[in-house]
Amino acid sequence: MPKISGGCLCGAVQYSSAAEPMVVAICHCTHCQKQSGGAFSVNVGIPKGSLQFTAGKPATYQDTGSSGQPVYRHFCGQCGSPIFSDVVASPQIDWLKAGTLNDTSWVKPAVNVWCQSAQPWVAYPEGVPRFAQNPPAAG
């Protein structure tokens, strides 16, 4: 199992988690583009509540997802690094921003979501499924 630990650019907010990652998703939605300042956001899904802050505490911005429900975007109040998102529509998962991990060697995207809003020049990883919006719910 990978060791989940990381923090923001300035080091004021640090975290760890003993949980097993549930999924790694590349999100191409326009909100993730704006929050990341890039073409997409690479997110590690971990069980809700498993993230422990070892230094500092993130600030929070309340956004609204495509479901109409809140998305709480947690970030460092000093340097602005996005840390994780709490998406009310996915109540069992917190979405950790992969770029904040101390070790990203194990991060392997399993799915691309919100491809309908992907930048036209983005190259998708080979063999990784793509969905126009969110994948259909399992069940």
Side-chain angles (χ1 to χ4, degrees):
M1 178 178 122
K3 168 103 170 95
I4 295 178
S5 66
C8 65
L9 180 62
C10 73
V13 177
Q14 299 287 315
Y15 64 80
S16 67
S17 176
E20 182 74 26
M22 300 165 72
V23 66
V24 176
I26 301 173
C27 184
H28 300 271
C29 80
T30 57
H31 289 221
C32 278
Q33 290 179 35
K34 286 182 184 269
Q35 184 194 33
S36 71
F40 49 81
S41 179
V42 181
N43 303 290
V44 177
I46 58 174
K48 180 149 327 278
S50 66
L51 197 59
Q52 303 297 313
F53 289 94
T54 57
K57 183 177 177 188
T60 304
Y61 171 73
Q62 184 176 333
D63 193 5
T64 301
S66 63
S67 66
Q69 296 181 335
V71 174
Y72 299 100
R73 296 182 179 275
H74 302 273
F75 61 96
C76 175
Q78 291 184 41
C79 68
S81 295
I83 305 294
F84 79 103
S85 294
D86 173 3
V87 181
V88 172
S90 60
Q92 303 302 317
I93 303 174
D94 279 330
W95 295 99
L96 184 60
K97 302 300 181 178
T100 65
L101 291 164
N102 291 333
D103 175 15
T104 59
S105 64
W106 57 270
V107 175
K108 307 270 186 286
V111 64
N112 286 279
V113 297
W114 287 94
C115 294
Q116 72 183 21
S117 37
Q119 295 296 318
W121 46 265
V122 166
Y124 296 98
E126 191 173 325
V128 177
R130 294 181 238 168
F131 294 92
Q133 296 182 353
N134 286 323

PDB file of all heavy atoms in Angstrom, residues 64-96:
ATOM      1  N   THR A  64     -20.284  24.846  -6.168  1.00  0.00           N
ATOM      2  CA  THR A  64     -21.472  24.045  -6.450  1.00  0.00           C
ATOM      3  C   THR A  64     -21.162  23.118  -7.613  1.00  0.00           C
ATOM      4  O   THR A  64     -20.686  23.564  -8.661  1.00  0.00           O
ATOM      5  CB  THR A  64     -22.673  24.949  -6.810  1.00  0.00           C
ATOM      6  OG1 THR A  64     -22.915  25.832  -5.711  1.00  0.00           O
ATOM      7  CG2 THR A  64     -23.925  24.120  -7.060  1.00  0.00           C
ATOM      8  N   GLY A  65     -21.388  21.818  -7.422  1.00  0.00           N
ATOM      9  CA  GLY A  65     -21.121  20.832  -8.455  1.00  0.00           C
ATOM     10  C   GLY A  65     -22.257  20.747  -9.457  1.00  0.00           C
ATOM     11  O   GLY A  65     -23.310  21.387  -9.311  1.00  0.00           O
ATOM     12  N   SER A  66     -22.076  19.938 -10.491  1.00  0.00           N
ATOM     13  CA  SER A  66     -23.089  19.767 -11.533  1.00  0.00           C
ATOM     14  C   SER A  66     -24.380  19.175 -10.982  1.00  0.00           C
ATOM     15  O   SER A  66     -25.446  19.349 -11.564  1.00  0.00           O
ATOM     16  CB  SER A  66     -22.550  18.880 -12.650  1.00  0.00           C
ATOM     17  OG  SER A  66     -22.269  17.586 -12.142  1.00  0.00           O
ATOM     18  N   SER A  67     -24.294  18.516  -9.815  1.00  0.00           N
ATOM     19  CA  SER A  67     -25.476  17.933  -9.169  1.00  0.00           C
ATOM     20  C   SER A  67     -26.328  19.015  -8.502  1.00  0.00           C
ATOM     21  O   SER A  67     -27.448  18.747  -8.089  1.00  0.00           O
ATOM     22  CB  SER A  67     -25.034  16.929  -8.097  1.00  0.00           C
ATOM     23  OG  SER A  67     -24.367  17.624  -7.045  1.00  0.00           O
ATOM     24  N   GLY A  68     -25.757  20.212  -8.383  1.00  0.00           N
ATOM     25  CA  GLY A  68     -26.423  21.283  -7.639  1.00  0.00           C
ATOM     26  C   GLY A  68     -26.074  21.253  -6.161  1.00  0.00           C
ATOM     27  O   GLY A  68     -26.462  22.138  -5.404  1.00  0.00           O
ATOM     28  N   GLN A  69     -25.330  20.226  -5.741  1.00  0.00           N
ATOM     29  CA  GLN A  69     -24.926  20.093  -4.344  1.00  0.00           C
ATOM     30  C   GLN A  69     -23.561  20.743  -4.122  1.00  0.00           C
ATOM     31  O   GLN A  69     -22.779  20.909  -5.066  1.00  0.00           O
ATOM     32  CB  GLN A  69     -24.895  18.623  -3.945  1.00  0.00           C
ATOM     33  CG  GLN A  69     -26.269  17.974  -3.997  1.00  0.00           C
ATOM     34  CD  GLN A  69     -26.218  16.522  -3.566  1.00  0.00           C
ATOM     35  OE1 GLN A  69     -25.199  15.859  -3.662  1.00  0.00           O
ATOM     36  NE2 GLN A  69     -27.346  16.028  -3.077  1.00  0.00           N
ATOM     37  N   PRO A  70     -23.239  21.071  -2.878  1.00  0.00           N
ATOM     38  CA  PRO A  70     -21.959  21.725  -2.593  1.00  0.00           C
ATOM     39  C   PRO A  70     -20.742  20.848  -2.889  1.00  0.00           C
ATOM     40  O   PRO A  70     -20.791  19.622  -2.765  1.00  0.00           O
ATOM     41  CB  PRO A  70     -22.026  22.022  -1.094  1.00  0.00           C
ATOM     42  CG  PRO A  70     -23.468  21.968  -0.735  1.00  0.00           C
ATOM     43  CD  PRO A  70     -24.085  20.981  -1.686  1.00  0.00           C
ATOM     44  N   VAL A  71     -19.683  21.524  -3.253  1.00  0.00           N
ATOM     45  CA  VAL A  71     -18.344  20.946  -3.345  1.00  0.00           C
ATOM     46  C   VAL A  71     -17.471  21.866  -2.492  1.00  0.00           C
ATOM     47  O   VAL A  71     -17.353  23.052  -2.781  1.00  0.00           O
ATOM     48  CB  VAL A  71     -17.817  20.912  -4.798  1.00  0.00           C
ATOM     49  CG1 VAL A  71     -16.367  20.439  -4.824  1.00  0.00           C
ATOM     50  CG2 VAL A  71     -18.701  20.038  -5.675  1.00  0.00           C
ATOM     51  N   TYR A  72     -16.929  21.314  -1.407  1.00  0.00           N
ATOM     52  CA  TYR A  72     -16.073  22.088  -0.521  1.00  0.00           C
ATOM     53  C   TYR A  72     -14.632  21.877  -0.965  1.00  0.00           C
ATOM     54  O   TYR A  72     -14.096  20.778  -0.878  1.00  0.00           O
ATOM     55  CB  TYR A  72     -16.279  21.660   0.931  1.00  0.00           C
ATOM     56  CG  TYR A  72     -17.699  21.891   1.385  1.00  0.00           C
ATOM     57  CD1 TYR A  72     -18.621  20.847   1.423  1.00  0.00           C
ATOM     58  CD2 TYR A  72     -18.133  23.169   1.743  1.00  0.00           C
ATOM     59  CE1 TYR A  72     -19.929  21.067   1.815  1.00  0.00           C
ATOM     60  CE2 TYR A  72     -19.441  23.399   2.143  1.00  0.00           C
ATOM     61  CZ  TYR A  72     -20.336  22.342   2.170  1.00  0.00           C
ATOM     62  OH  TYR A  72     -21.636  22.562   2.563  1.00  0.00           O
ATOM     63  N   ARG A  73     -14.028  22.937  -1.471  1.00  0.00           N
ATOM     64  CA  ARG A  73     -12.660  22.881  -1.988  1.00  0.00           C
ATOM     65  C   ARG A  73     -11.723  23.430  -0.915  1.00  0.00           C
ATOM     66  O   ARG A  73     -11.780  24.600  -0.573  1.00  0.00           O
ATOM     67  CB  ARG A  73     -12.563  23.662  -3.289  1.00  0.00           C
ATOM     68  CG  ARG A  73     -13.443  23.024  -4.372  1.00  0.00           C
ATOM     69  CD  ARG A  73     -13.325  23.746  -5.702  1.00  0.00           C
ATOM     70  NE  ARG A  73     -14.138  23.121  -6.724  1.00  0.00           N
ATOM     71  CZ  ARG A  73     -13.777  22.100  -7.476  1.00  0.00           C
ATOM     72  NH1 ARG A  73     -12.587  21.562  -7.310  1.00  0.00           N
ATOM     73  NH2 ARG A  73     -14.592  21.611  -8.389  1.00  0.00           N
ATOM     74  N   HIS A  74     -10.884  22.547  -0.392  1.00  0.00           N
ATOM     75  CA  HIS A  74      -9.977  22.880   0.705  1.00  0.00           C
ATOM     76  C   HIS A  74      -8.588  23.196   0.143  1.00  0.00           C
ATOM     77  O   HIS A  74      -8.064  22.428  -0.668  1.00  0.00           O
ATOM     78  CB  HIS A  74      -9.907  21.716   1.695  1.00  0.00           C
ATOM     79  CG  HIS A  74     -11.249  21.355   2.252  1.00  0.00           C
ATOM     80  ND1 HIS A  74     -11.774  21.973   3.363  1.00  0.00           N
ATOM     81  CD2 HIS A  74     -12.188  20.459   1.839  1.00  0.00           C
ATOM     82  CE1 HIS A  74     -12.971  21.469   3.622  1.00  0.00           C
ATOM     83  NE2 HIS A  74     -13.243  20.551   2.706  1.00  0.00           N
ATOM     84  N   PHE A  75      -8.010  24.294   0.599  1.00  0.00           N
ATOM     85  CA  PHE A  75      -6.743  24.778   0.054  1.00  0.00           C
ATOM     86  C   PHE A  75      -5.931  25.471   1.142  1.00  0.00           C
ATOM     87  O   PHE A  75      -6.464  25.843   2.196  1.00  0.00           O
ATOM     88  CB  PHE A  75      -7.005  25.750  -1.104  1.00  0.00           C
ATOM     89  CG  PHE A  75      -7.787  26.969  -0.684  1.00  0.00           C
ATOM     90  CD1 PHE A  75      -7.141  28.151  -0.359  1.00  0.00           C
ATOM     91  CD2 PHE A  75      -9.181  26.931  -0.589  1.00  0.00           C
ATOM     92  CE1 PHE A  75      -7.863  29.270   0.047  1.00  0.00           C
ATOM     93  CE2 PHE A  75      -9.909  28.047  -0.180  1.00  0.00           C
ATOM     94  CZ  PHE A  75      -9.249  29.223   0.140  1.00  0.00           C
ATOM     95  N   CYS A  76      -4.649  25.666   0.891  1.00  0.00           N
ATOM     96  CA  CYS A  76      -3.813  26.402   1.836  1.00  0.00           C
ATOM     97  C   CYS A  76      -4.160  27.882   1.746  1.00  0.00           C
ATOM     98  O   CYS A  76      -4.124  28.469   0.660  1.00  0.00           O
ATOM     99  CB  CYS A  76      -2.338  26.191   1.526  1.00  0.00           C
ATOM    100  SG  CYS A  76      -1.253  27.211   2.574  1.00  0.00           S
ATOM    101  N   GLY A  77      -4.476  28.478   2.875  1.00  0.00           N
ATOM    102  CA  GLY A  77      -4.806  29.890   2.920  1.00  0.00           C
ATOM    103  C   GLY A  77      -3.599  30.799   2.718  1.00  0.00           C
ATOM    104  O   GLY A  77      -3.761  31.987   2.459  1.00  0.00           O
ATOM    105  N   GLN A  78      -2.386  30.234   2.806  1.00  0.00           N
ATOM    106  CA  GLN A  78      -1.180  31.046   2.620  1.00  0.00           C
ATOM    107  C   GLN A  78      -0.681  31.019   1.177  1.00  0.00           C
ATOM    108  O   GLN A  78      -0.428  32.067   0.594  1.00  0.00           O
ATOM    109  CB  GLN A  78      -0.073  30.569   3.552  1.00  0.00           C
ATOM    110  CG  GLN A  78      -0.377  30.867   5.009  1.00  0.00           C
ATOM    111  CD  GLN A  78       0.761  30.468   5.919  1.00  0.00           C
ATOM    112  OE1 GLN A  78       1.926  30.673   5.601  1.00  0.00           O
ATOM    113  NE2 GLN A  78       0.413  29.888   7.053  1.00  0.00           N
ATOM    114  N   CYS A  79      -0.528  29.827   0.602  1.00  0.00           N
ATOM    115  CA  CYS A  79       0.037  29.738  -0.760  1.00  0.00           C
ATOM    116  C   CYS A  79      -1.010  29.418  -1.822  1.00  0.00           C
ATOM    117  O   CYS A  79      -0.726  29.522  -3.012  1.00  0.00           O
ATOM    118  CB  CYS A  79       1.173  28.730  -0.816  1.00  0.00           C
ATOM    119  SG  CYS A  79       0.667  27.006  -0.593  1.00  0.00           S
ATOM    120  N   GLY A  80      -2.214  29.017  -1.406  1.00  0.00           N
ATOM    121  CA  GLY A  80      -3.291  28.753  -2.353  1.00  0.00           C
ATOM    122  C   GLY A  80      -3.328  27.356  -2.939  1.00  0.00           C
ATOM    123  O   GLY A  80      -4.221  27.040  -3.731  1.00  0.00           O
ATOM    124  N   SER A  81      -2.390  26.487  -2.576  1.00  0.00           N
ATOM    125  CA  SER A  81      -2.385  25.128  -3.127  1.00  0.00           C
ATOM    126  C   SER A  81      -3.685  24.404  -2.798  1.00  0.00           C
ATOM    127  O   SER A  81      -4.075  24.332  -1.630  1.00  0.00           O
ATOM    128  CB  SER A  81      -1.234  24.305  -2.538  1.00  0.00           C
ATOM    129  OG  SER A  81       0.012  24.814  -2.910  1.00  0.00           O
ATOM    130  N   PRO A  82      -4.364  23.831  -3.811  1.00  0.00           N
ATOM    131  CA  PRO A  82      -5.538  23.008  -3.513  1.00  0.00           C
ATOM    132  C   PRO A  82      -5.081  21.708  -2.856  1.00  0.00           C
ATOM    133  O   PRO A  82      -4.105  21.105  -3.296  1.00  0.00           O
ATOM    134  CB  PRO A  82      -6.160  22.760  -4.881  1.00  0.00           C
ATOM    135  CG  PRO A  82      -5.070  22.963  -5.862  1.00  0.00           C
ATOM    136  CD  PRO A  82      -4.089  23.920  -5.237  1.00  0.00           C
ATOM    137  N   ILE A  83      -5.778  21.284  -1.797  1.00  0.00           N
ATOM    138  CA  ILE A  83      -5.391  20.077  -1.057  1.00  0.00           C
ATOM    139  C   ILE A  83      -6.363  18.932  -1.329  1.00  0.00           C
ATOM    140  O   ILE A  83      -5.955  17.846  -1.727  1.00  0.00           O
ATOM    141  CB  ILE A  83      -5.315  20.346   0.464  1.00  0.00           C
ATOM    142  CG1 ILE A  83      -4.383  21.525   0.780  1.00  0.00           C
ATOM    143  CG2 ILE A  83      -4.897  19.079   1.201  1.00  0.00           C
ATOM    144  CD1 ILE A  83      -2.924  21.304   0.465  1.00  0.00           C
ATOM    145  N   PHE A  84      -7.657  19.159  -1.103  1.00  0.00           N
ATOM    146  CA  PHE A  84      -8.645  18.122  -1.379  1.00  0.00           C
ATOM    147  C   PHE A  84     -10.011  18.753  -1.564  1.00  0.00           C
ATOM    148  O   PHE A  84     -10.242  19.898  -1.183  1.00  0.00           O
ATOM    149  CB  PHE A  84      -8.678  17.043  -0.288  1.00  0.00           C
ATOM    150  CG  PHE A  84      -9.422  17.406   0.966  1.00  0.00           C
ATOM    151  CD1 PHE A  84     -10.706  16.902   1.199  1.00  0.00           C
ATOM    152  CD2 PHE A  84      -8.856  18.212   1.940  1.00  0.00           C
ATOM    153  CE1 PHE A  84     -11.393  17.220   2.363  1.00  0.00           C
ATOM    154  CE2 PHE A  84      -9.529  18.524   3.116  1.00  0.00           C
ATOM    155  CZ  PHE A  84     -10.808  18.025   3.324  1.00  0.00           C
ATOM    156  N   SER A  85     -10.911  17.976  -2.170  1.00  0.00           N
ATOM    157  CA  SER A  85     -12.294  18.407  -2.352  1.00  0.00           C
ATOM    158  C   SER A  85     -13.225  17.411  -1.687  1.00  0.00           C
ATOM    159  O   SER A  85     -13.028  16.203  -1.774  1.00  0.00           O
ATOM    160  CB  SER A  85     -12.648  18.510  -3.847  1.00  0.00           C
ATOM    161  OG  SER A  85     -11.911  19.542  -4.456  1.00  0.00           O
ATOM    162  N   ASP A  86     -14.232  17.949  -1.016  1.00  0.00           N
ATOM    163  CA  ASP A  86     -15.300  17.175  -0.384  1.00  0.00           C
ATOM    164  C   ASP A  86     -16.538  17.420  -1.243  1.00  0.00           C
ATOM    165  O   ASP A  86     -17.125  18.490  -1.200  1.00  0.00           O
ATOM    166  CB  ASP A  86     -15.488  17.672   1.046  1.00  0.00           C
ATOM    167  CG  ASP A  86     -16.683  17.056   1.751  1.00  0.00           C
ATOM    168  OD1 ASP A  86     -17.370  16.189   1.178  1.00  0.00           O
ATOM    169  OD2 ASP A  86     -16.949  17.474   2.895  1.00  0.00           O
ATOM    170  N   VAL A  87     -16.887  16.421  -2.047  1.00  0.00           N
ATOM    171  CA  VAL A  87     -18.005  16.527  -2.987  1.00  0.00           C
ATOM    172  C   VAL A  87     -19.222  15.875  -2.337  1.00  0.00           C
ATOM    173  O   VAL A  87     -19.251  14.654  -2.149  1.00  0.00           O
ATOM    174  CB  VAL A  87     -17.658  15.830  -4.333  1.00  0.00           C
ATOM    175  CG1 VAL A  87     -18.802  15.943  -5.324  1.00  0.00           C
ATOM    176  CG2 VAL A  87     -16.365  16.415  -4.913  1.00  0.00           C
ATOM    177  N   VAL A  88     -20.221  16.667  -1.982  1.00  0.00           N
ATOM    178  CA  VAL A  88     -21.393  16.147  -1.274  1.00  0.00           C
ATOM    179  C   VAL A  88     -22.067  15.030  -2.076  1.00  0.00           C
ATOM    180  O   VAL A  88     -22.567  14.062  -1.509  1.00  0.00           O
ATOM    181  CB  VAL A  88     -22.377  17.289  -0.931  1.00  0.00           C
ATOM    182  CG1 VAL A  88     -23.688  16.756  -0.383  1.00  0.00           C
ATOM    183  CG2 VAL A  88     -21.730  18.241   0.082  1.00  0.00           C
ATOM    184  N   ALA A  89     -22.021  15.109  -3.403  1.00  0.00           N
ATOM    185  CA  ALA A  89     -22.639  14.080  -4.255  1.00  0.00           C
ATOM    186  C   ALA A  89     -21.894  12.746  -4.199  1.00  0.00           C
ATOM    187  O   ALA A  89     -22.432  11.721  -4.626  1.00  0.00           O
ATOM    188  CB  ALA A  89     -22.740  14.576  -5.697  1.00  0.00           C
ATOM    189  N   SER A  90     -20.656  12.716  -3.694  1.00  0.00           N
ATOM    190  CA  SER A  90     -19.933  11.449  -3.485  1.00  0.00           C
ATOM    191  C   SER A  90     -19.580  11.354  -1.998  1.00  0.00           C
ATOM    192  O   SER A  90     -18.445  11.583  -1.597  1.00  0.00           O
ATOM    193  CB  SER A  90     -18.700  11.346  -4.386  1.00  0.00           C
ATOM    194  OG  SER A  90     -17.781  12.373  -4.145  1.00  0.00           O
ATOM    195  N   PRO A  91     -20.590  11.006  -1.171  1.00  0.00           N
ATOM    196  CA  PRO A  91     -20.469  11.124   0.290  1.00  0.00           C
ATOM    197  C   PRO A  91     -19.478  10.177   0.963  1.00  0.00           C
ATOM    198  O   PRO A  91     -19.142  10.388   2.122  1.00  0.00           O
ATOM    199  CB  PRO A  91     -21.892  10.853   0.785  1.00  0.00           C
ATOM    200  CG  PRO A  91     -22.534  10.051  -0.286  1.00  0.00           C
ATOM    201  CD  PRO A  91     -21.909  10.513  -1.575  1.00  0.00           C
ATOM    202  N   GLN A  92     -18.984   9.168   0.269  1.00  0.00           N
ATOM    203  CA  GLN A  92     -18.051   8.225   0.891  1.00  0.00           C
ATOM    204  C   GLN A  92     -16.588   8.540   0.585  1.00  0.00           C
ATOM    205  O   GLN A  92     -15.696   7.856   1.072  1.00  0.00           O
ATOM    206  CB  GLN A  92     -18.368   6.788   0.430  1.00  0.00           C
ATOM    207  CG  GLN A  92     -19.788   6.347   0.706  1.00  0.00           C
ATOM    208  CD  GLN A  92     -20.146   6.425   2.180  1.00  0.00           C
ATOM    209  OE1 GLN A  92     -19.360   6.047   3.035  1.00  0.00           O
ATOM    210  NE2 GLN A  92     -21.326   6.929   2.484  1.00  0.00           N
ATOM    211  N   ILE A  93     -16.341   9.561  -0.274  1.00  0.00           N
ATOM    212  CA  ILE A  93     -14.995   9.803  -0.800  1.00  0.00           C
ATOM    213  C   ILE A  93     -14.572  11.256  -0.593  1.00  0.00           C
ATOM    214  O   ILE A  93     -15.346  12.180  -0.819  1.00  0.00           O
ATOM    215  CB  ILE A  93     -14.945   9.482  -2.316  1.00  0.00           C
ATOM    216  CG1 ILE A  93     -15.365   8.048  -2.591  1.00  0.00           C
ATOM    217  CG2 ILE A  93     -13.562   9.750  -2.893  1.00  0.00           C
ATOM    218  CD1 ILE A  93     -15.489   7.699  -4.062  1.00  0.00           C
ATOM    219  N   ASP A  94     -13.320  11.455  -0.210  1.00  0.00           N
ATOM    220  CA  ASP A  94     -12.657  12.750  -0.290  1.00  0.00           C
ATOM    221  C   ASP A  94     -11.696  12.663  -1.473  1.00  0.00           C
ATOM    222  O   ASP A  94     -11.078  11.611  -1.708  1.00  0.00           O
ATOM    223  CB  ASP A  94     -11.872  13.069   0.993  1.00  0.00           C
ATOM    224  CG  ASP A  94     -12.760  13.604   2.105  1.00  0.00           C
ATOM    225  OD1 ASP A  94     -13.793  14.248   1.802  1.00  0.00           O
ATOM    226  OD2 ASP A  94     -12.412  13.404   3.289  1.00  0.00           O
ATOM    227  N   TRP A  95     -11.574  13.749  -2.217  1.00  0.00           N
ATOM    228  CA  TRP A  95     -10.766  13.771  -3.438  1.00  0.00           C
ATOM    229  C   TRP A  95      -9.487  14.566  -3.187  1.00  0.00           C
ATOM    230  O   TRP A  95      -9.468  15.778  -3.270  1.00  0.00           O
ATOM    231  CB  TRP A  95     -11.582  14.350  -4.589  1.00  0.00           C
ATOM    232  CG  TRP A  95     -12.744  13.480  -4.926  1.00  0.00           C
ATOM    233  CD1 TRP A  95     -14.043  13.643  -4.537  1.00  0.00           C
ATOM    234  CD2 TRP A  95     -12.713  12.283  -5.700  1.00  0.00           C
ATOM    235  NE1 TRP A  95     -14.812  12.625  -5.035  1.00  0.00           N
ATOM    236  CE2 TRP A  95     -14.027  11.771  -5.754  1.00  0.00           C
ATOM    237  CE3 TRP A  95     -11.696  11.591  -6.356  1.00  0.00           C
ATOM    238  CZ2 TRP A  95     -14.353  10.603  -6.444  1.00  0.00           C
ATOM    239  CZ3 TRP A  95     -12.019  10.430  -7.044  1.00  0.00           C
ATOM    240  CH2 TRP A  95     -13.328   9.953  -7.082  1.00  0.00           C
ATOM    241  N   LEU A  96      -8.418  13.860  -2.895  1.00  0.00           N
ATOM    242  CA  LEU A  96      -7.111  14.430  -2.607  1.00  0.00           C
ATOM    243  C   LEU A  96      -6.423  14.818  -3.914  1.00  0.00           C
ATOM    244  O   LEU A  96      -6.406  14.037  -4.873  1.00  0.00           O
ATOM    245  CB  LEU A  96      -6.288  13.379  -1.853  1.00  0.00           C
ATOM    246  CG  LEU A  96      -4.918  13.742  -1.349  1.00  0.00           C
ATOM    247  CD1 LEU A  96      -4.995  14.902  -0.368  1.00  0.00           C
ATOM    248  CD2 LEU A  96      -4.299  12.522  -0.683  1.00  0.00           C
TER     249      LEU A  96
END
